[in-house]
Amino acid sequence: MQGQATWSKPMPHMLLEILVEEALKGNKPSSTFSVEKLSKKIGDVAFAIQSFSKNQLDVNELYTEVMKIEGFDEITLGDAFDHLVQHEMLAKTFMAKKC
């Protein structure tokens, strides 16, 4: 599923933070429509979503990689997968080393 962003729980909060920040700068909606300003804001939101989604753990990919490990039975590998899911930083480290 690489390249496909999902709208996770923190993202609406992130979008609201961006909008509040712009409002505090004085960039509030007006009767004048500015395509440039709207385009810039959409770009900012897209960048924030892209940055956030790159940092997400893909558990399906993690499962696939863990199950490829040779020399262990499926139950042990399943336990290792569960442990990695519960400890996201370890899982990300594992995935970085595997790729």
Side-chain angles (χ1 to χ4, degrees), residues 70-89:
E70 296 178 3
F72 297 95
D73 61 53
E74 192 172 333
I75 293 172
T76 302
L77 293 175
D79 290 343
F81 168 76
D82 291 341
H83 178 79
L84 289 172
V85 169
Q86 291 173 10
H87 299 88
E88 187 172 349
M89 186 56 70

Side-chain angles (χ1 to χ4, degrees), residues 41-53:
K41 289 302 117 202
I42 291 172
D44 291 346
V45 170
F47 179 76
I49 291 170
Q50 183 181 29
S51 297
F52 187 80
S53 65

Side-chain angles (χ1 to χ4, degrees), residues 25-95:
K25 290 180 189 174
N27 297 332
K28 298 177 185 165
S30 66
S31 59
T32 306
F33 179 76
S34 168
V35 174
E36 292 81 20
K37 284 183 181 178
L38 178 60
S39 177
K40 169 131 178 40
K41 289 302 117 202
I42 291 172
D44 291 346
V45 170
F47 179 76
I49 291 170
Q50 183 181 29
S51 297
F52 187 80
S53 65
K54 285 182 181 177
N55 205 18
Q56 293 294 307
L57 176 65
D58 183 342
V59 293
N60 291 325
E61 186 178 353
L62 175 64
Y63 181 82
T64 300
E65 290 301 320
V66 169
M67 290 307 187
K68 287 181 185 176
I69 298 172
E70 296 178 3
F72 297 95
D73 61 53
E74 192 172 333
I75 293 172
T76 302
L77 293 175
D79 290 343
F81 168 76
D82 291 341
H83 178 79
L84 289 172
V85 169
Q86 291 173 10
H87 299 88
E88 187 172 349
M89 186 56 70
L90 290 174
K92 288 178 180 179
T93 303
F94 172 80
M95 290 302 292

